[in-house]
Amino acid sequence: MATIEECRAALDKLSDNLAGAAGDVRSAASLDRSLSCRITDLDTTFVGRLRDGRIEVLDTLAGPPREKAQIRLVMKGDDLVSMVNGELNFAKAWGSGRVKLEAGLRDLLRLRTLL
């Protein structure tokens, strides 16, 4: 099972990957939205912002998020680490329910480029 530190490092790596992306991926990641990533097996939520193509983690909370973020991810820690390391395909994990992504319709349409 991934640790909180490994999950935080995975989010930092994902942020670096998004910041270094080009074209449609860079455009999709350039949203300015509140973001939460709930790690169910650790009962932990990372909250922050997706802004200028980067993920900025502002806080780590025990339990579910206290406020509803505009973009919400829910998954196990191992799945987060595996996705960021390229071992788990996001679209397949999302389609099978291993990963949940919730956002407004416009944001989902923009974020589909990241899949």
Side-chain angles (χ1 to χ4, degrees):
M1 179 166 67
T3 65
I4 291 174
E5 293 78 19
E6 290 170 323
C7 291
R8 174 59 196 256
L11 287 172
D12 289 342
K13 183 177 178 181
L14 177 59
S15 179
D16 291 343
N17 292 347
L18 292 174
D24 290 342
V25 173
R26 178 73 177 165
S27 175
S30 66
L31 297 169
D32 183 3
R33 301 286 188 270
S34 60
L35 175 74
S36 67
C37 181
R38 175 141 167 74
I39 308 300
T40 56
D41 56 333
L42 298 175
D43 195 26
T44 299
T45 302
F46 297 96
V47 294
R49 291 204 72 83
L50 174 62
R51 179 183 2 228
D52 298 324
R54 295 202 67 91
I55 296 170
E56 178 185 6
V57 176
L58 302 173
D59 203 359
T60 304
L61 308 172
R66 293 181 180 95
E67 296 179 17
K68 186 176 177 181
Q70 292 166 304
I71 299 171
R72 300 167 302 282
L73 290 161
V74 179
M75 68 192 79
K76 291 183 178 180
D78 288 340
D79 289 338
L80 173 62
V81 172
S82 294
M83 279 191 313
V84 172
N85 289 335
E87 301 159 359
L88 177 64
N89 179 280
F90 180 84
K92 288 182 181 179
W94 186 33
S96 70
R98 284 176 68 177
V99 173
K100 293 184 176 115
L101 170 64
E102 298 175 348
L105 182 59
R106 282 188 179 164
D107 289 342
L108 284 173
L109 291 173
R110 285 189 71 183
L111 291 170
R112 71 187 165 116
T113 307
L114 300 175
L115 306 177

